[in-house]
Amino acid sequence: MGFFDDLAMGFGAKAPTKDYEARTAATMERNRNPGGAQQYRESRGVTSADIGNMSPSTYQGSGYTSFFDRIDGGGPGRSGARFSSGDTSAFAGAPGTYVSEQMYLDAEKNQPDAFAQTQGGLASLSNLAGFRPYGSYDQERGLGAKGINIGTSGIGDYFAGQGAIGNFIRGGVPSSKQRVEPNVPIGNSLDPAAVQFLNEQAGEVPSLMERLRLTPEFANPNPPMIFNSDNDNNSLTPAPPKIEEIIEEQAQPTGRQVFVAPLRRNLGGIVSLGRR
C-alpha cells in the first residue's frame, strides 16, 4: 500500500483494509494518543497483528452523509471547528449542528473519554498537521461573541499562508485562510465590537511596492520645484532632471558602489533599483 492508497481510504474513495486501520492506530499511538488508538482499534476490530493484513475492513456504518461531510469537520452528520472521525453527539448535541471550537475545548477538559472516542484516522492526522475543516471559519464567525478566532498551525499554516513568499508579500500579516480574523489573536473571542476595534488599530499594511521602495516618492524625496504658469492656480510642480544630472548618474560607479541601473530618478514614472 502506498501513500495515495492511504489517502483514498482516508477520504472514503477506496474501501479501507485491516492493514490501513491497524497502521492508523499505530500512528495515533506514536503521536501520544494511546487512549484514542485503543478505542479506534476496538471500534474497527483490529490489533497490531493486523498490520500487513489486506483483508477488507469489517467496520460498518461510518455515518458520513457525503464527501463534504468528511471534510467539514465535526464528525459524521455534523460540521465543526476540528476534524473528528467518530460521533460527537456526547458533547455536540443533535445531528446537523456545528461543533464549535468552544465545544471541543470543553469536551477535552470535562469529557476526555468522550472526546477521545471522536478522534482517530485521517481526522486526527489532519488536526495534528494544523489544518482546519472546510467552512469552519464562516461558521465560527457566525457565532459572534461566542465564536473563537481559530486558525491553522504547523504544516497546515505553511500551506494556507503560501509559505515564506506569501508571508513576505503580505508583510507578515496572516491571511484570511490562516485565521478567521487576521488582525485578532488566535484564541480570542470574535465579538464584533472587538474585531472592529482591532481591525481599525491594525491600519493599512504597506504594499509590496512601498516596502521595496519602488514607488515614485522614494526616487527623489525632495525634488526641486518650478513655477507652473500654465495652471489656473499657478501651482508649483517638480522640475524635470537636468541633462547633466542624467549623464552624471550614468557614469560607472567606483569603490564600494553597486551599479544596478543607469538612472536613479523618476523619469516618466520609471524608478530604477540603483543605489549608492
Side-chain angles (χ1 to χ4, degrees):
M1 287 293 174
F3 170 76
F4 291 105
D5 289 316
D6 287 351
L7 200 62
M9 291 180 193
F11 279 106
K14 186 176 182 179
T17 62
K18 289 185 174 295
D19 167 72
Y20 167 78
E21 292 173 336
R23 285 188 292 107
T24 297
T27 300
M28 293 171 63
E29 216 159 36
R30 287 196 297 271
N31 287 314
R32 301 179 182 180
N33 187 12
Q38 184 57 34
Q39 289 171 347
Y40 179 81
R41 287 192 182 100
E42 292 173 358
S43 67
R44 263 63 178 177
V46 297
T47 66
S48 298
D50 283 305
I51 294 179
N53 182 355
M54 298 304 170
S55 302
S57 169
T58 56
Y59 178 68
Q60 299 292 327
S62 66
Y64 288 108
T65 59
S66 66
F67 170 75
F68 284 103
D69 191 25
R70 292 179 177 272
I71 64 173
D72 66 358
R78 295 177 178 82
S79 59
R82 304 184 194 180
F83 294 99
S84 294
S85 59
D87 183 15
T88 54
S89 60
F91 55 86
T97 57
Y98 170 72
V99 189
S100 69
E101 178 69 5
Q102 189 61 59
M103 289 180 179
Y104 277 111
L105 292 173
D106 291 342
E108 278 186 290
K109 181 180 179 180
N110 303 320
Q111 299 173 269
D113 291 338
F115 173 79
Q117 291 177 6
T118 69
Q119 301 302 297
L122 190 61
S124 289
L125 297 179
S126 298
N127 290 329
L128 289 169
F131 293 98
R132 286 290 179 174
Y134 174 79
S136 59
Y137 286 6
D138 289 336
Q139 293 269 30
E140 204 72 29
R141 184 185 291 111
L143 296 176
K146 294 183 179 180
I148 294 177
N149 195 39
I150 58 174
T152 52
S153 60
I155 191 172
D157 190 63
Y158 180 84
F159 284 114
Q162 299 176 320
I165 295 177
N167 187 60
F168 174 72
I169 291 175
R170 295 189 308 276
V173 177
S175 73
S176 58
K177 293 182 179 180
Q178 292 174 287
R179 295 184 188 180
V180 178
E181 291 291 345
N183 294 322
V184 178
I186 288 286
N188 277 28
S189 167
L190 290 173
D191 178 81
V195 171
Q196 181 180 356
F197 173 77
L198 290 171
N199 285 337
E200 291 173 352
Q201 290 291 106
E204 186 176 350
V205 179
S207 69
L208 178 61
M209 294 292 285
E210 289 171 336
R211 283 184 279 113
L212 291 177
R213 300 178 69 86
L214 296 180
T215 49
E217 62 266 26
F218 291 113
N220 189 3
N222 300 299
M225 307 298 287
I226 62 172
F227 183 75
N228 188 350
S229 60
D230 294 334
N231 294 340
D232 293 337
N233 57 1
N234 294 328
S235 62
L236 292 174
T237 58
K242 297 178 181 179
I243 188 65
E244 294 83 359
E245 295 175 341
I246 296 176
I247 295 174
E248 179 184 354
E249 293 197 9
Q250 286 179 328
Q252 291 291 336
T254 58
R256 298 181 63 185
Q257 293 176 316
V258 179
F259 184 78
V260 180
L263 300 182
R264 301 183 69 252
R265 293 187 178 276
N266 180 13
L267 301 179
I270 300 175
V271 182
S272 81
L273 294 175
R275 63 184 177 87
R276 297 190 181 199

